[in-house]
Amino acid sequence: MDDFRKSTVYQIYVKSFCDSNGDGIGDLNGITKKLPYLKSLGVDYIWTTPFFVSPLNDNGYDVADYRAVDPLFGTMEDCEKMIAEADRLGMGFMFDMVFNHTSTHHEWFQKALNGDPKYMNYYIFRDGTDEGAPTNWVSKFGGSAWEYVPSLGKYYLHLFDVSQADLNWDNPEVRAELADIIRFWKGKGIKGFRFDVVNLISKPAVFENDYEGDGRRFYTDGPHVHEYLKGLAAEGGLDGYITVGEMSSTSLANCIRYTNPKEHELAMVFSFHHLKVDYKNGDKWALKAPDFDELRSLYKTWQEGMQEADGWNALFLNNHDQPRAISRFTNDTTYHKESAKVLAGLIHLMRGTPYIYQGEEIGITNAGFKDIDSYRDVESLNYYRILREAGKTEAEALEIIGERSRDNGRTPMQWDGTENAGFTTGTPWLGIPENHKTINVENEEQDPDSILAFYRKLVALRKEEPVISDGRIDFEVEVPYGVIAYTRSYEETQLFVWANLTGDEKTVRIPESGKLFLSNYGMEGDIPAGEVLLKPYELLVIKK
Ligand code: TEU
Ligand code: CA
């Protein structure tokens, strides 16, 4: 475990990172080409989103063959080359294992559809009721979570898209198949794994209607989830590997169990409560300005709570399912640079393992799409329809999708200022924001004060400073609205961190004088104790 404390992970959304053959779609050879760039960032691990054989209804999170590369992204030989090249540069890949469900195109599901009882038991088939579906549960992408198969006279469960059928983890044969897939990729030299929505794998023994919610309380952190994760770690031989579980609507108590080293389940977890502080009444599709009091209190709860019980967090504000944090929480125009840096500093100095999502290290913003035809994501398209059906005007629906669409985080990587941002020589599968003409890697490489340079520094600091990798964390609560402040301590060393997430000046109190350690306003020297005025989006870090 300790091994990952000094590490930083870089997440690649394969489809949008680098296209090597001009078909407008990112691919494995594109990744190999850009490995020196990742090396120059100083990251240790690279998490790639799924590139396995798939009908791509959910961009690869609908896997039809876990052991084969989809031809759209390359070949197994390309994959082996990519792994070997990263290895040579001293970086390891973490592959994305989507084990809660398979694509309905998977051989197992096809056999189930033919009525083969062995394979029907790989999935969750149930009889309907007088009201229709077995329960009233709602899919995460909208609509019923059950789909009727006329030829079988039964429904199957799909917590996500209708083409993503949930696996039956209560069946030991399923668990054995999945452990075998882990061993297969370990054999190819993979250093770690990310497990998609892995806290949803254990369903209740009895399926019942949810009259309070969408059904999630019955299957989130379900009855046997810890037992199944221990089994996967043991059977897959995951000791010493870096593993991260994506935990949907989870609890602190469960995340402690998932990650406490004595439990032998996972090395760390992604939880999402801090990325719901701008959901109105918990509804992603209802807009609200971010509540920074709530954000501060969630960080305090999760950071201190995991620390007290020896749990370990993955630290992130961006991924391929989220709008860009810089656009969502801060100011992505007037204070573009300051905003990107304050958000980076806020999480990279916390206790946990930081993840950099492609493009955040140069300050890529939300997409700014103006019409529904620009969107590609199945969730955005479904919810646009649902919002329209619920009576929203076209403009209202577009505003909501514009803020919340996952496509915001999926626009192609901005390598340079040319027409397609250096991502492809063809037509990109998803539009690229206009601002790529200024916000791009090539530009930032030339600027010693760039966002990119700041990220490089943060990655290096985590390796150099035990107070960052191993220090304890304590949150300061007596701070003005919009400021998040914490102290890291290790032996005699202390770091005091203040992040002003607003466009207003804020007064904070420096408890003890120290040296300026890090700033996004280019200050230096000794800082005396006493009151200080934080500028808009200022990050101030003092070392004692
Ligand atoms: O996402 C799980 C998930 O529930 C959310 O991140 C979800 O996309 C969001 O809350 C919807 O509002 C994982 C993958 O990261 C995502 O890309 C897949 O679509 C999903 O699982 C299904 O495999
Ligand atoms: Ca390609």
Side-chain angles (χ1 to χ4, degrees):
M1 173 72 248
D2 295 34
D3 177 27
F4 313 128
R5 297 187 178 225
K6 292 186 184 299
S7 301
T8 300
V9 182
Y10 189 90
Q11 183 195 349
I12 290 183
Y13 195 66
V14 179
K15 206 172 174 184
S16 300
F17 191 60
C18 180
D19 173 22
S20 72
N21 62 353
D23 64 358
I25 292 172
D27 45 50
L28 301 188
N29 285 338
I31 296 175
T32 306
K33 192 168 119 191
K34 295 296 184 184
L35 286 174
Y37 167 74
L38 299 180
K39 182 68 195 170
S40 80
L41 260 173
V43 300
D44 306 277
Y45 295 98
I46 303 161
W47 153 28
T48 45
T49 53
F51 48 81
F52 315 110
V53 168
S54 161
L56 299 176
N57 287 330
D58 187 21
N59 279 346
Y61 283 92
D62 45 333
V63 180
D65 184 348
Y66 292 96
R67 291 182 180 79
V69 176
D70 194 287
L72 203 57
F73 299 119
T75 62
M76 185 57 87
E77 207 187 325
D78 298 335
C79 182
E80 285 162 356
K81 246 178 30 205
M82 173 181 92
I83 297 168
E85 186 56 16
D87 198 47
R88 199 180 63 80
L89 293 170
M91 296 180 291
F93 274 101
M94 298 165 72
F95 282 179
D96 203 328
M97 298 291 116
V98 188
F99 284 173
N100 175 68
H101 43 264
T102 74
S103 164
T104 49
H105 289 220
H106 196 288
E107 190 189 348
W108 302 335
F109 194 80
Q110 289 299 313
K111 287 182 175 161
L113 280 186
N114 284 333
D116 182 334
K118 172 180 158 84
Y119 290 100
M120 281 183 73
N121 194 30
Y122 272 39
Y123 295 91
I124 300 168
F125 282 95
R126 291 289 184 278
D127 293 325
T129 66
D130 296 344
E131 280 117 63
T135 68
N136 64 353
W137 299 1
V138 183
S139 147
K140 305 256 183 202
F141 293 162
S144 171
W146 296 94
E147 181 72 7
Y148 186 62
V149 182
S151 62
L152 299 171
K154 287 184 189 296
Y155 290 79
Y156 68 87
L157 180 69
H158 62 90
L159 296 182
F160 292 88
D161 189 50
V162 50
S163 66
Q164 294 164 298
D166 282 57
L167 283 165
N168 175 19
W169 277 69
D170 293 335
N171 179 352
E173 288 178 89
V174 167
R175 304 200 299 270
E177 296 262 20
L178 300 176
D180 201 49
I181 295 166
I182 296 292
R183 291 191 296 266
F184 173 84
W185 286 112
K186 274 173 56 183
K188 298 270 180 204
I190 290 311
K191 296 287 186 288
F193 297 92
R194 180 252 186 196
F195 294 105
D196 192 56
V197 290
V198 78
N199 67 326
L200 309 185
I201 56 175
S202 173
K203 310 313 193 260
V206 179
F207 285 81
E208 52 185 305
N209 280 332
D210 190 350
Y211 297 109
E212 288 166 28
D214 59 7
R216 73 182 64 189
R217 65 199 175 98
F218 294 120
Y219 56 75
T220 301
D221 302 315
H224 300 287
V225 65
H226 295 285
E227 172 195 332
Y228 294 163
L229 281 176
K230 284 181 172 71
L232 187 69
E235 293 304 310
L238 289 174
D239 236 19
Y241 283 72
I242 180 167
T243 56
V244 57
E246 187 200 25
M247 303 300 171
S248 171
S249 304
T250 188
S251 69
L252 174 60
N254 276 293
C255 286
I256 289 168
R257 290 181 67 189
Y258 292 133
T259 61
N260 182 298
K262 292 197 191 87
E263 300 284 341
H264 299 282
E265 295 184 13
L266 295 164
M268 63 192 87
V269 284
F270 294 119
S271 66
F272 292 90
H273 301 283
H274 66 297
L275 295 178
K276 296 181 180 172
V277 298
D278 54 359
Y279 290 10
K280 196 171 180 177
N281 304 320
D283 178 1
K284 171 171 175 175
W285 309 100
L287 302 181
K288 183 181 99 174
D291 180 339
F292 291 128
D293 276 342
E294 202 187 335
L295 184 64
R296 183 172 63 219
S297 118
L298 282 164
Y299 271 133
K300 180 174 164 61
T301 305
W302 280 81
Q303 285 278 304
E304 294 180 1
M306 290 289 258
Q307 166 171 270
E308 288 338 309
D310 206 9
W312 196 250
N313 283 300
L315 306 169
F316 72 107
L317 286 168
N318 292 284
N319 70 25
H320 63 291
D321 293 332
Q322 300 289 329
R324 294 282 180 177
I326 187 174
S327 303
R328 177 176 184 183
F329 296 128
T330 52
N331 181 322
D332 65 3
T333 51
T334 331
Y335 289 98
H336 180 256
K337 228 185 206 183
E338 293 81 359
S339 292
K341 291 180 182 178
V342 74
L343 292 172
L346 174 70
I347 63 168
H348 279 253
L349 301 175
M350 283 184 186
R351 178 180 178 278
T353 299
Y355 284 63
I356 301 173
Y357 177 58
Q358 70 180 48
E360 75 168 83
E361 78 276 21
I362 55 169
I364 289 188
T365 64
N366 273 353
F369 293 147
K370 296 283 179 287
D371 56 82
I372 194 65
D373 296 335
S374 302
Y375 291 92
R376 298 285 174 272
D377 180 26
V378 52
E379 186 198 57
S380 304
L381 301 174
N382 284 353
Y383 271 97
Y384 179 75
R385 190 174 34 78
I386 292 168
L387 290 166
R388 293 287 278 133
E389 281 164 10
K392 298 274 185 226
T393 64
E394 186 187 347
E396 286 166 342
L398 278 176
E399 192 201 347
I400 296 173
I401 301 294
E403 292 285 335
R404 296 293 147 91
S405 173
R406 303 193 299 180
D407 283 333
N408 281 313
R410 299 177 177 184
T411 58
M413 182 64 179
Q414 300 174 187
W415 296 103
D416 62 36
T418 61
E419 195 190 342
N420 292 317
F423 162 69
T424 180
T425 54
T427 309
W429 72 278
L430 181 66
I432 305 178
E434 262 310 288
N435 62 24
H436 79 268
K437 297 201 169 92
T438 48
I439 303 172
N440 61 62
V441 172
E442 194 178 66
N443 268 353
E444 298 203 15
E445 289 283 12
Q446 267 129 57
D447 172 10
D449 185 44
S450 65
I451 300 166
L452 180 60
F454 196 76
Y455 268 87
R456 285 189 173 127
K457 187 165 184 184
L458 287 170
V459 174
L461 283 173
R462 176 165 287 271
K463 297 202 183 303
E464 292 158 14
E465 300 276 349
V467 68
I468 300 175
S469 54
D470 295 277
R472 81 166 268 120
I473 191 161
D474 294 283
F475 279 74
E476 172 69 59
V477 286
E478 306 278 305
V479 278
Y481 179 79
V483 175
I484 297 185
Y486 56 86
T487 306
R488 303 295 313 273
S489 334
Y490 184 81
E491 293 171 355
E492 298 307 296
T493 310
Q494 279 190 308
L495 282 188
F496 301 101
V497 180
W498 289 270
N500 178 6
L501 300 180
T502 75
D504 306 320
E505 294 188 330
K506 303 278 177 176
T507 307
V508 295
R509 222 188 55 77
I510 296 177
E512 290 174 62
S513 67
K515 284 228 173 320
L516 186 88
F517 181 74
L518 198 64
S519 150
N520 59 349
Y521 272 88
M523 302 155 48
E524 19 186 307
D526 291 330
I527 312 286
E531 285 194 345
V532 62
L533 205 59
L534 291 181
K535 296 186 232 2
Y537 307 104
E538 178 164 356
L539 172 76
L540 178 65
V541 188
I542 294 173
K543 185 177 184 181
K544 191 187 76 102

